[in-house]
Amino acid sequence: MRPVRSRPPQWLQAWTATLYWKTAVFITVMCCLLAAVLGMLVHVLVDGQTQDRARHVALEELDRSTSAYVTGAPLSRDVAVDPPDLPAPLRKMTVQRHERGTQLATHRDRPVMWAATPVTGSKVLAVRLDYSEQAASLRGLDGAIIGSSAAAIGLTLAAGLISVSRITRRLHRTARVARRISTGDLDARVNDPRARRPHRAQDEAAAVATALDAMAASLQERLNSEQRFTADVSHELRTPLAGLHAAAELLPDGRPTDMVRDRVQTLCGLTEDLLEISRLDAQVESADLDIHQLGPLAERAVRATGTATEVRVVQDAHVQTDRRRLERILGNLVANAHKHGRPPVVVTVEGPVITVRDHGDGYPTYLLDQGPQRFRSQSGGSDVGKRTGHGLGLTIATGQAHVLGATLRFSNAADGGAIAELRLPAHPDQH
């Protein structure tokens, strides 16, 4: 059985994911490492120099004491022959190698510097010098290093975070503008002040802001061009289609005439759909909101489609919506369910949520991932390669839902069938 790794809490993941705090941690870690390395180097260097001076002084004192010992002069208090507390390694080196040496050790809980040399026989003459003052100076130096390092880390961290915060604020502003553009606000621009001075060098944040503004301007120009083209074509088609429709009505009855009338009617419907989409794209549509009871409104919209669709009102509710636009949305969803799915088609009203479900093969993957796409027919399963529509019905339904401030979500049922869920803004009295 493999152990389950516990994931960090959500707030910690969000905290560590930001560039601001990543930079703070990076600066802190690097400053600590640098301070530790420099502090160790200074400590080792000063400690080595201090010990070298103490050894030099101890050896000089040892030379004077050796001369005094040879001449029989009295020895000072810190000089002794074969002292019992002489460090064993120093005694061994002096006796066996017949060499003089020094060693830093502890005597009665105080640091001392020993110097020893062999004398007559196996005797050892040793000098013991107090090392407490040098050790205290080294501890003071370590404290100064720690204090100055902490101050340097604090100043560096503050300066680094101030600099990073200016960049992150600009990046956050760029991200907010990008989100506004993704929701359809093509007039949104970053307008970074640094991007207005092209003769000066630009940093990465200004380059991203400039690229985003250029992309938004280009996208807006293309969409406006497409909207104008769609609207112009639809308007231009209206007049000849009206004449063609009138001429078709004058033809004698028969199958060829019925086929012509059917094609003309389809073309007229396509033209009206294109005009409606062009108005939705231009965002010139506004909802005529009023309070309606959702159950009867859904039943009336379904009856208007002339299809065999079951309506279930689980929980009725009053909603603030545009009746005409809501009927348009439901009509398109029900017609799409009958055209691309299989019966039974069920419309369920549960509070401010209307669900349209069929029992066919479900929505194709592209629609679930990317949403409805115009002029891409919904076909799947056994209908692959068979065009059964222009893909405008769901596009119009999505656009009208946006005008109403509603949410239209598409999914597939686990046991088969497509589900379209329209969630309307509830009337304030319902809360």
Side-chain angles (χ1 to χ4, degrees):
M1 183 176 179
R2 298 180 61 184
V4 180
R5 292 185 178 180
S6 59
R7 300 185 62 184
Q10 191 67 27
W11 65 267
L12 183 59
Q13 296 182 34
W15 179 75
T16 55
T18 59
L19 179 62
Y20 184 84
W21 292 111
K22 285 182 179 179
T23 304
V25 172
F26 176 77
I27 292 177
T28 303
V29 171
M30 293 305 297
C31 287
C32 289
L33 288 176
L34 182 60
V37 171
L38 291 179
M40 290 178 61
L41 289 176
V42 172
H43 174 86
V44 170
L45 180 62
V46 173
D47 186 33
Q49 292 176 349
T50 304
Q51 290 189 32
D52 288 343
R53 286 195 296 269
R55 287 190 174 92
H56 181 71
V57 172
L59 290 175
E60 288 182 345
E61 181 65 22
L62 180 63
D63 290 339
R64 288 193 293 268
S65 300
T66 302
S67 300
Y69 177 79
V70 172
T71 58
L75 302 176
S76 63
R77 185 181 59 182
D78 296 328
V79 181
V81 177
D82 289 335
D85 49 356
L86 181 67
L90 182 60
R91 182 187 297 275
K92 181 178 181 181
M93 181 190 73
T94 305
V95 173
Q96 293 182 357
R97 300 182 183 179
H98 299 282
E99 297 177 354
R100 67 175 187 172
T102 59
Q103 182 178 345
L104 183 62
T106 302
H107 178 70
R108 296 179 182 177
D109 297 329
R110 294 172 64 89
V112 294
M113 178 63 72
W114 288 93
T117 185
V119 289
T120 58
S122 59
K123 295 183 178 181
V124 176
L125 180 66
V127 175
R128 184 184 67 243
L129 298 181
D130 185 57
Y131 196 76
S132 300
E133 184 177 350
Q134 293 89 331
S137 299
L138 190 61
R139 288 194 298 270
L141 176 64
D142 292 341
I145 292 175
I146 294 174
S148 59
S149 298
I153 291 173
L155 292 176
T156 305
L157 182 61
L161 291 182
I162 291 174
S163 301
V164 171
S165 64
R166 298 177 63 184
I167 297 178
T168 53
R169 282 197 302 268
R170 292 164 59 196
L171 292 177
H172 282 305
R173 183 168 179 239
T174 303
R176 287 195 299 268
V177 172
R179 285 191 289 267
R180 288 173 55 190
I181 293 174
S182 66
T183 57
D185 185 7
L186 298 181
D187 292 324
R189 297 291 186 274
V190 180
N191 291 326
D192 194 298
R194 293 166 179 78
R196 300 175 185 174
R197 300 189 292 268
H199 59 281
R200 298 184 60 181
Q202 297 184 5
D203 58 10
E204 288 78 3
V208 171
T210 303
L212 180 63
D213 287 347
M215 181 197 69
S218 175
L219 181 62
Q220 184 178 35
E221 182 180 355
R222 292 188 180 184
L223 289 179
N224 290 338
S225 177
E226 291 180 3
Q227 292 170 9
R228 287 193 300 268
F229 176 77
T230 303
D232 292 343
V233 169
S234 302
H235 280 292
E236 292 298 327
L237 285 176
R238 264 185 162 183
T239 300
L241 283 176
L244 188 60
H245 184 271
E249 294 297 326
L250 299 177
L251 295 175
D253 292 338
R255 178 164 178 77
T257 300
D258 292 339
M259 293 178 62
V260 171
R261 290 173 180 173
D262 180 67
R263 297 299 184 269
V264 171
Q265 189 65 34
T266 301
L267 193 55
C268 289
L270 175 60
T271 303
E272 293 301 324
D273 287 345
L274 289 175
L275 283 172
E276 185 174 359
I277 287 177
S278 66
R279 291 193 299 269
L280 292 172
D281 287 343
Q283 299 182 357
V284 297
E285 296 285 297
S286 60
D288 184 13
L289 300 178
D290 201 356
I291 306 300
H292 297 278
Q293 191 172 355
L294 191 56
L297 183 58
E299 292 175 349
R300 184 167 56 250
V302 171
R303 284 198 306 269
T305 63
T307 59
T309 303
E310 180 185 356
V311 179
R312 299 175 184 172
V313 181
V314 178
Q315 178 186 351
D316 207 349
H318 287 83
V319 294
Q320 188 174 21
T321 188
D322 187 324
R323 179 183 60 82
R324 180 182 64 85
R325 297 183 187 277
L326 181 57
E327 290 178 350
R328 174 70 162 153
I329 295 172
L330 290 179
N332 282 10
L333 293 178
V334 171
N336 183 80
H338 281 280
K339 181 182 293 185
H340 301 286
R342 286 191 293 268
V345 176
V346 182
V347 176
T348 304
V349 178
E350 188 170 358
V353 180
I354 302 178
T355 303
V356 180
R357 178 185 176 180
D358 61 55
H359 291 75
D361 297 324
Y363 291 116
T365 304
Y366 84 86
L367 191 146
L368 298 178
D369 294 339
Q370 306 171 17
Q373 298 181 22
R374 62 194 69 176
F375 297 111
R376 185 170 183 179
S377 63
Q378 180 188 335
S379 59
S382 60
D383 296 327
V384 174
K386 178 183 176 182
R387 293 191 61 89
T388 55
H390 299 284
L392 300 181
L394 295 183
T395 303
I396 292 175
T398 303
Q400 293 290 5
H402 180 73
V403 175
L404 294 179
T407 303
L408 182 57
R409 188 174 66 89
F410 302 98
S411 61
N412 289 331
D415 55 346
I419 300 177
E421 181 185 273
L422 179 66
R423 184 175 295 273
L424 295 164
H427 185 251
D429 295 339
Q430 298 291 325
H431 295 290

